[in-house]
Amino acid sequence: MSVQAEQAPNEQAEQQTFSFQAEVVQILDLMVHSLYSNKEIFLRELISNASDAVDRLRLEMLSQGELPQDEGPLQIRVSYDAEAGTITVADNGIGMSRAEVIEHIGTIARSGTREFLHTLSGDQRQDATLIGQFGVGFYASFIVAERVTLTTRRAGLPAADGVRWESDGRGEYTLEPAECPSRGTTIVLHLRPGEDDLLSGYRLRSIIQRYSDHISLPIVMAEDKQPGGSEPDDGQLEGGQREGEEPAEAPVNQASALWARPKAELGDADYHGFYRHVAGDYTDPLAWVHSKIEGTYEYTLLLFVPSRAPYDMWIPQPGRGVKLHIRRVFVLEDNGQLMPQYLRFVRGVIDSADLPLNISRELLQGSRVVDHIRGNAVKKVLKLLAELAENEPERYATFWREFGAILKEGITDDFGNRDEIARLLRFTSTRSGTGEAVVSFRDYVARMKEDQRDIYYLLAPTLAAAAASPHLEAFRDKGVEVLLLGEDVDNWVISNLREFEGRRLQSVAQGTADLGPLEDQAGAKAKEQASTVLSGLVGQLKAVLAGQAWDVRVSSRLTTSPACIVANEPENENSLAHRLRGSGLPIQPVLEINPQHPLIQRLNREPADPRLAEWAHVLFSQAVLTLGARLEEPATFVTRLNDLLTGLTES
């Protein structure tokens, strides 16, 4: 990230001019030219940033044993000056130092900026919802402002260490020292021509109440007129105050903790608005649970399941998801103590009445209160998902597309809730009409054949590889459903989940193809006869493939393919780890041959064929590829195959 100073000398005593990085210039251009139809979002973003600054102040000062209210009540102030054409948003939160201004205002994290730019759709309303999610909300100021001035002082620094930042959004910004008696940040927007409609107390209040009413911090504005809208008396100004008096200020928002209000008072719009604030997402949540627990411990849960995964869901980031409050005071963001990793998509608030305000992350780890809250919160979320799956399967399908792979991690991580998580899993199967994962274990069991004992599955590198696998041929022929597993996390699911409600999970690519009672006597007898007839060829193949194939045997699982590879060992954690680290082959690969395939029958009729060894290697290599594994010597395989094809054309 490059920030270029064009004037150097004494950086603390003089104004300096800096250049924005290229991605910031793109963001600024977007704000000015692309989002003008949603210009109200500038105030939403500035208030959201101010609220975060106050939360960070509370957290920092509580950790130091100080009271944040020592410099007055914590609040956000919004004002306007019609004559000067300015709107001001001020907070008495944590503020910023000079270095922090450069880091947070002068530049944007490259990864987030680029992802934001790549995600833009061209639809103004949709693109406007992405701003807060990608950390570029401050720049929404330039939708309505031709110049922005930011003055700030970080908590704990002297008044002389204040900083003033200013830019017209055209590629450069200036920094200079400023005397700031109070901590916090003040942002002044110098509006563009044509934006005068925003210079109205009524208009600003309506925007605040629409977008920011749920924020628990008071957002105050000066009162415009006397009640009833009467004209001011002689010597009075608008707002009812006398000349020389400061106008009276009043809260614009409800400034109450939404989760502490009775559910009967709240509607969907209230929950949606609060979710957008707490999650930094501007789509509606998929579902939520709001519960107050009283008993040994007293706490309130308001937890949301998003309707879409954030762009950085797979990037490990502590301090995301659920916010811990103690008696309505924000204390810290969860980094694993309140919600397990496999539920890291959950957003919301947990408010405890039993924890001390100065609790640390270390104390959280050994707290019985936290253990109780975590256990109950997890059960509430899993119950919410179960109800969604049962009552609204289409909405649950949306959840599964976004978060299914993450939820699967719970099979490995959460033994106590493994059965509940297993009921929530969804898979693609050989009966799926589309590639969507909509089949549950219970759906599968309900469709099992009368004499079927096991739940059959196939693990492959991708769903496409699984669907095309020769291991399915006999099962398809007999109409037996097989679950298709093609995600990386499925390796760990299978190694930790060996049965479901008494039904064993059995791989169709491991061991012998045991169909149990589903295999008729005629089929078993035919396999026995084929094993006798092909015993000589099997012996030759074993000799040729010694060191590659652990064994060679006649297959009962193939109907159209000449051969396949199966694992002799069970699919456990060690064997699956071996496959992931290596070429993808089992530890003990077994080559199974199809006694009905013309190629196998031809090789059996001509045991003295001088090219039998070449055919053996080609059969094994083809089986490796259909397994989805990697050939150690692909060039050798191609040469052998070309030689055999040339020989066939010449004969």
Side-chain angles (χ1 to χ4, degrees), residues 366-399:
S367 168
R368 256 189 281 180
V369 178
V370 172
D371 290 343
H372 176 85
I373 292 174
R374 174 188 169 113
N376 197 34
V378 169
K379 290 188 180 298
K380 291 282 187 184
V381 172
L382 295 179
K383 182 181 178 183
L384 175 67
L385 294 175
E387 291 172 349
L388 192 66
E390 179 71 23
N391 302 323
E392 301 181 78
E394 291 185 0
R395 288 170 66 82
Y396 188 76
T398 298
F399 162 79

Side-chain angles (χ1 to χ4, degrees), residues 181-301:
S182 302
R183 65 160 191 263
T185 301
T186 299
I187 299 171
V188 179
L189 309 184
H190 304 266
L191 299 185
R192 299 177 182 280
E195 302 294 351
D196 295 349
D197 62 310
L198 294 170
L199 299 172
S200 157
Y202 174 80
R203 180 71 191 282
L204 293 176
R205 284 187 182 86
S206 67
I207 295 173
I208 293 169
Q209 289 167 352
R210 178 180 179 185
Y211 291 109
S212 307
D213 194 54
H214 50 271
I215 288 180
S216 57
L217 197 68
I219 304 169
V220 300
M221 286 186 64
E223 296 178 346
D224 279 343
K225 284 192 175 185
Q226 302 177 88
S230 58
E231 292 298 321
D233 298 331
D234 291 341
Q236 280 189 322
L237 303 174
E238 288 189 358
Q241 80 274 11
R242 295 281 175 182
E243 285 193 51
E245 291 182 357
E246 289 293 325
E249 290 185 330
V252 179
N253 61 328
Q254 292 200 32
S256 63
L258 180 135
W259 61 88
R261 293 164 58 187
K263 288 192 284 186
E265 294 181 4
L266 303 173
D268 288 355
D270 297 306
Y271 286 113
H272 291 174
F274 182 74
Y275 165 76
R276 291 167 184 161
H277 167 64
V278 77
D281 184 7
Y282 297 100
T283 58
D284 292 337
L286 198 63
W288 61 86
V289 57
H290 185 187
S291 181
K292 183 174 183 179
I293 292 87
E294 295 177 325
T296 306
Y297 304 112
E298 183 179 334
Y299 53 95
T300 300
L301 307 172

Side-chain angles (χ1 to χ4, degrees), residues 454-458 498 504-508 510-512 514:
D454 300 332
I455 297 173
Y456 294 106
Y457 71 88
L458 175 62
R498 304 311 306 166
R504 185 170 65 107
L505 271 64
Q506 174 62 47
S507 171
V508 301
Q510 183 266 323
T512 57
D514 181 16

Side-chain angles (χ1 to χ4, degrees), residues 247-455:
E249 290 185 330
V252 179
N253 61 328
Q254 292 200 32
S256 63
L258 180 135
W259 61 88
R261 293 164 58 187
K263 288 192 284 186
E265 294 181 4
L266 303 173
D268 288 355
D270 297 306
Y271 286 113
H272 291 174
F274 182 74
Y275 165 76
R276 291 167 184 161
H277 167 64
V278 77
D281 184 7
Y282 297 100
T283 58
D284 292 337
L286 198 63
W288 61 86
V289 57
H290 185 187
S291 181
K292 183 174 183 179
I293 292 87
E294 295 177 325
T296 306
Y297 304 112
E298 183 179 334
Y299 53 95
T300 300
L301 307 172
L302 179 51
L303 304 173
F304 296 88
V305 175
S307 57
R308 65 177 183 181
Y311 77 100
D312 57 352
M313 178 57 71
W314 296 98
I315 302 174
Q317 286 184 344
R320 290 171 41 201
V322 176
K323 298 176 185 291
L324 176 65
H325 287 66
I326 297 175
R327 294 180 289 280
R328 304 187 188 185
V329 176
F330 172 70
V331 175
L332 52 82
E333 290 182 292
D334 178 40
N335 65 350
Q337 292 100 333
L338 298 175
M339 201 62 64
Q341 272 292 302
Y342 73 91
L343 293 178
R344 60 184 176 272
F345 53 83
V346 173
R347 300 291 185 260
V349 168
I350 294 177
D351 190 351
S352 170
D354 301 296
L355 292 169
L357 278 173
N358 62 347
I359 193 165
S360 65
R361 296 192 186 277
E362 292 72 26
L363 289 175
L364 279 179
Q365 293 175 353
S367 168
R368 256 189 281 180
V369 178
V370 172
D371 290 343
H372 176 85
I373 292 174
R374 174 188 169 113
N376 197 34
V378 169
K379 290 188 180 298
K380 291 282 187 184
V381 172
L382 295 179
K383 182 181 178 183
L384 175 67
L385 294 175
E387 291 172 349
L388 192 66
E390 179 71 23
N391 302 323
E392 301 181 78
E394 291 185 0
R395 288 170 66 82
Y396 188 76
T398 298
F399 162 79
W400 189 259
R401 282 193 298 271
E402 298 293 324
F403 305 109
I406 297 172
L407 186 65
K408 286 180 180 179
E409 297 173 9
I411 294 293
T412 300
D413 297 345
D414 191 350
F415 180 82
N417 290 303
R418 183 173 294 174
D419 291 342
E420 288 79 4
I421 298 169
R423 295 186 191 101
L424 296 171
L425 300 184
R426 295 294 183 268
F427 305 95
T428 303
S429 85
T430 50
R431 294 250 186 111
S432 299
T434 64
E436 293 286 330
V438 295
V439 180
S440 69
F441 279 128
R442 285 185 170 172
D443 293 336
Y444 182 98
V445 170
R447 295 197 291 257
M448 284 172 60
K449 287 188 169 292
E450 185 177 349
D451 295 326
Q452 185 178 343
R453 297 187 301 245
D454 300 332
I455 297 173

Side-chain angles (χ1 to χ4, degrees), residues 61 66-72 183:
M61 299 193 76
E66 302 176 25
L67 294 176
Q69 289 85 359
D70 285 349
E71 292 190 25
R183 65 160 191 263

Side-chain angles (χ1 to χ4, degrees), residues 67-90:
L67 294 176
Q69 289 85 359
D70 285 349
E71 292 190 25
L74 298 175
Q75 61 184 11
I76 300 169
R77 299 178 69 248
V78 177
S79 60
Y80 68 96
D81 185 329
E83 292 185 5
T86 60
I87 294 175
T88 301
V89 179

